[in-house]
Amino acid sequence: MLFVIIAGCEVGFWLFLLMGLLTRYVARRPRLGAALLICVPLTDLALLTATVVDLRRGATAGFAHGLAAAYLGFSVAFGHGMIRWADERFAHRFAGGPSPSRPPRHGRARARHEWKEFGKAVIAWAISCALLLGAIALVGDTGRTAALHDWLSRLTVVLGIWALWPITYTIWPAKPKKASR
């Protein structure tokens, strides 16, 4: 059941985002659009509530509970940036806003960009791990929380792999492609 709630929260995230931006820029109702955009993080709150209720009712923590913690961590860390990304594109397309910004492609600027993204990943990892540890403490039974312990190591491996991007862009900065003749 928790998988369905996670999927519903993901769908809700994108629906509130899309409806908020359409209302803001296409329907020209910025206040209503802002209200719909405020609902985006409420999907995270709904998932957190469902997960806690499930664990409090005595469920053995499984893969879905760990996935919920990871989803919440990444949603909190990257959600605002995703909303800003979409807002720039909607403003450009429907309200005559400036062209959307793009990440740098080369040199130190690209390396800085990759380190910023990695910083967000560290925040996501920290939030996810805090939620996992909180759930482990909430349940208080190591037999029922083994899956959550597994998620701690999974997330750490993902973070380690993610670190490869900023490290490689720092050591070997991307160079502009030479123009062909």
Side-chain angles (χ1 to χ4, degrees), residues 105-119:
R105 295 181 184 209
H106 314 294
R108 289 185 184 157
R110 179 58 187 242
R112 262 191 310 280
H113 170 76
E114 293 299 330
W115 281 110
K116 284 180 187 175
E117 292 300 304
F118 180 70

Side-chain angles (χ1 to χ4, degrees), residues 146-171:
L148 301 181
H149 288 280
D150 293 343
W151 269 96
L152 291 168
S153 57
R154 257 188 214 112
L155 289 170
T156 302
V157 167
V158 167
L159 187 65
I161 293 169
W162 198 313
L164 296 175
W165 272 261
I167 290 169
T168 56
Y169 274 105
T170 300
I171 296 171

Side-chain angles (χ1 to χ4, degrees), residues 11 19 27 71 98:
V11 169
M19 295 309 296
Y71 175 87

